[in-house]
Coordinates of all heavy atoms in Angstrom, one line a residue:
T22 N 0.8 4.8 -12.6 CA 0.2 5.1 -11.3 C -1.3 4.8 -11.4 O -1.9 4.2 -10.5 CB 0.5 6.5 -10.9 OG1 1.8 6.8 -10.9 CG2 0.0 6.8 -9.5
K23 N -2.0 5.2 -12.5 CA -3.4 5.0 -12.6 C -3.7 3.6 -12.6 O -4.7 3.0 -12.1 CB -3.9 5.7 -13.8 CG -4.0 7.2 -13.7 CD -4.5 7.8 -15.0 CE -4.5 9.3 -14.9 NZ -5.0 10.0 -16.1
N25 N -1.9 1.2 -11.2 CA -1.7 0.6 -9.9 C -2.9 0.9 -9.0 O -3.2 0.1 -8.1 CB -0.4 1.3 -9.3 CG 0.8 0.8 -10.0 OD1 0.8 -0.2 -10.7 ND2 1.9 1.6 -9.9
R27 N -5.9 0.8 -9.8 CA -7.0 -0.1 -10.1 C -6.7 -1.5 -9.6 O -7.6 -2.3 -9.5 CB -7.2 -0.2 -11.6 CG -7.9 1.1 -12.2 CD -8.2 0.9 -13.6 NE -7.2 1.8 -14.3 CZ -6.7 1.6 -15.5 NH1 -7.1 0.6 -16.2 NH2 -5.9 2.5 -16.0
F30 N -5.5 -4.5 -3.3 CA -4.3 -4.3 -2.3 C -3.5 -5.6 -2.4 O -2.2 -5.5 -2.4 CB -4.9 -4.1 -0.9 CG -3.8 -3.9 0.1 CD1 -3.1 -2.7 0.2 CD2 -3.4 -4.9 1.0 CE1 -2.1 -2.4 1.0 CE2 -2.4 -4.7 1.9 CZ -1.7 -3.4 1.9
L34 N 0.5 -6.0 -3.4 CA 1.6 -6.7 -2.6 C 2.3 -7.7 -3.4 O 3.5 -7.9 -3.3 CB 0.9 -7.3 -1.3 CG 0.5 -6.3 -0.2 CD1 -0.1 -7.1 0.9 CD2 1.6 -5.5 0.3
L44 N 14.9 -7.8 -7.9 CA 16.0 -7.0 -7.6 C 17.0 -7.7 -6.7 O 18.3 -7.6 -6.8 CB 15.5 -5.7 -6.8 CG 14.8 -4.7 -7.7 CD1 14.2 -3.6 -6.8 CD2 15.6 -4.2 -8.9
E45 N 16.5 -8.6 -5.8 CA 17.4 -9.4 -5.0 C 18.2 -10.4 -5.8 O 19.4 -10.7 -5.4 CB 16.6 -10.1 -3.8 CG 16.1 -9.2 -2.8 CD 15.4 -10.0 -1.7 OE1 14.9 -11.1 -1.9 OE2 15.2 -9.4 -0.6
N46 N 17.7 -10.9 -6.8 CA 18.3 -11.8 -7.7 C 19.6 -11.2 -8.3 O 20.6 -11.9 -8.4 CB 17.4 -12.3 -8.8 CG 17.9 -13.4 -9.6 OD1 18.9 -14.1 -9.2 ND2 17.4 -13.6 -10.8
G47 N 19.6 -9.9 -8.5 CA 20.8 -9.2 -9.0 C 21.1 -9.4 -10.4 O 22.2 -9.0 -10.8
L51 N 21.2 -2.2 -14.6 CA 21.0 -1.0 -13.7 C 19.8 -0.3 -14.2 O 19.0 0.1 -13.4 CB 22.2 -0.1 -13.8 CG 22.1 1.2 -13.0 CD1 21.8 0.9 -11.5 CD2 23.3 2.1 -13.2
D53 N 17.1 -1.6 -15.7 CA 15.9 -2.3 -15.3 C 15.7 -2.2 -13.8 O 14.6 -2.2 -13.4 CB 16.1 -3.8 -15.8 CG 16.0 -4.0 -17.3 OD1 15.5 -3.0 -18.0 OD2 16.5 -5.0 -17.8
A54 N 16.8 -2.2 -13.1 CA 16.6 -2.1 -11.6 C 16.1 -0.8 -11.2 O 15.1 -0.7 -10.4 CB 18.0 -2.3 -11.0
S57 N 12.4 -0.9 -12.2 CA 11.6 -1.7 -11.2 C 11.4 -0.9 -9.9 O 10.4 -1.0 -9.2 CB 12.4 -3.0 -11.0 OG 12.3 -3.8 -12.1
V62 N 8.0 2.1 -6.1 CA 7.6 3.4 -5.4 C 6.1 3.7 -5.7 O 5.4 4.0 -4.8 CB 8.5 4.5 -5.8 CG1 8.0 5.8 -5.3 CG2 9.9 4.2 -5.2
H63 N 5.7 3.6 -7.0 CA 4.4 3.8 -7.4 C 3.4 2.8 -6.7 O 2.3 3.2 -6.3 CB 4.2 3.8 -8.9 CG 4.9 4.9 -9.6 ND1 4.5 6.2 -9.5 CD2 5.9 4.9 -10.5 CE1 5.3 7.0 -10.2 NE2 6.1 6.2 -10.8
L64 N 3.8 1.6 -6.7 CA 3.0 0.5 -6.0 C 2.8 0.8 -4.5 O 1.7 0.7 -4.0 CB 3.6 -0.8 -6.3 CG 3.4 -1.4 -7.7 CD1 4.4 -2.6 -7.9 CD2 2.0 -1.8 -8.0
G68 N -0.7 1.4 -2.6 CA -1.0 0.6 -1.5 C -1.4 1.4 -0.3 O -2.3 1.2 0.4
E73 N -5.5 4.0 3.3 CA -6.1 5.2 3.8 C -7.6 5.2 3.5 O -8.4 5.6 4.3 CB -5.5 6.4 3.2 CG -4.1 6.7 3.7 CD -3.3 7.8 2.9 OE1 -3.9 8.3 1.9 OE2 -2.2 8.0 3.2
I79 N -13.7 2.6 7.6 CA -13.9 2.0 9.0 C -14.3 3.1 9.9 O -15.2 2.9 10.7 CB -12.6 1.4 9.5 CG1 -12.3 0.1 8.7 CG2 -12.6 1.1 11.0 CD1 -10.9 -0.5 8.9
L83 N -17.8 3.1 11.9 CA -17.8 3.1 13.4 C -18.5 4.3 13.9 O -19.2 4.3 14.9 CB -16.4 3.0 13.9 CG -15.7 1.7 13.8 CD1 -14.3 1.8 14.3 CD2 -16.4 0.6 14.5
G87 N -21.7 4.4 16.3 CA -21.5 4.9 17.6 C -20.3 4.2 18.3 O -20.2 4.4 19.5
D88 N -19.5 3.5 17.6 CA -18.4 2.8 18.2 C -17.1 3.3 17.9 O -16.1 2.7 17.7 CB -18.4 1.3 17.8 CG -19.6 0.5 18.3 OD1 -20.2 0.9 19.3 OD2 -20.1 -0.4 17.5
Q91 N -13.7 2.2 19.4 CA -13.1 0.9 19.0 C -12.0 1.1 18.0 O -11.0 0.3 17.9 CB -14.1 0.0 18.4 CG -15.1 -0.5 19.4 CD -16.1 -1.5 18.8 OE1 -16.0 -1.8 17.7 NE2 -17.1 -1.9 19.6
L92 N -12.0 2.2 17.2 CA -11.0 2.5 16.3 C -9.6 2.7 16.9 O -8.6 2.3 16.3 CB -11.4 3.7 15.4 CG -10.4 4.0 14.3 CD1 -10.4 2.9 13.3 CD2 -10.8 5.3 13.6
Y96 N -4.6 1.2 16.7 CA -3.4 2.0 16.8 C -2.7 1.7 18.1 O -3.4 1.8 19.1 CB -3.6 3.5 16.6 CG -4.3 3.8 15.2 CD1 -5.7 4.0 15.1 CD2 -3.5 3.8 14.1 CE1 -6.3 4.3 13.9 CE2 -4.1 4.1 12.9 CZ -5.5 4.4 12.8 OH -6.0 4.7 11.6
T98 N -0.7 2.5 21.4 CA -0.5 3.7 22.2 C 1.0 3.9 22.3 O 1.8 3.0 22.1 CB -1.2 3.6 23.6 OG1 -0.7 2.5 24.2 CG2 -2.7 3.6 23.4
Q99 N 1.4 5.0 22.7 CA 2.8 5.3 22.8 C 3.5 4.3 23.8 O 2.9 4.0 24.8 CB 3.1 6.7 23.3 CG 4.2 7.4 22.7 CD 4.2 8.9 23.1 OE1 3.6 9.3 24.0 NE2 5.0 9.6 22.3
E102 N 4.7 0.4 20.6 CA 5.2 0.2 19.2 C 6.4 -0.7 19.2 O 7.2 -1.1 19.8 CB 5.5 1.5 18.6 CG 4.3 2.3 18.4 CD 4.6 3.7 17.8 OE1 5.5 3.8 17.0 OE2 3.9 4.7 18.1

Side-chain angles (χ1 to χ4, degrees):
T22 307
K23 289 181 182 179
N25 292 338
R27 285 185 252 152
F30 184 75
L34 289 179
L44 292 173
E45 285 180 341
N46 187 18
L51 178 60
D53 289 341
S57 293
V62 169
H63 290 297
L64 287 165
E73 289 168 1
I79 290 169
L83 290 177
D88 295 329
Q91 291 181 9
L92 185 60
Y96 300 100
T98 57
Q99 218 170 16
E102 297 178 32

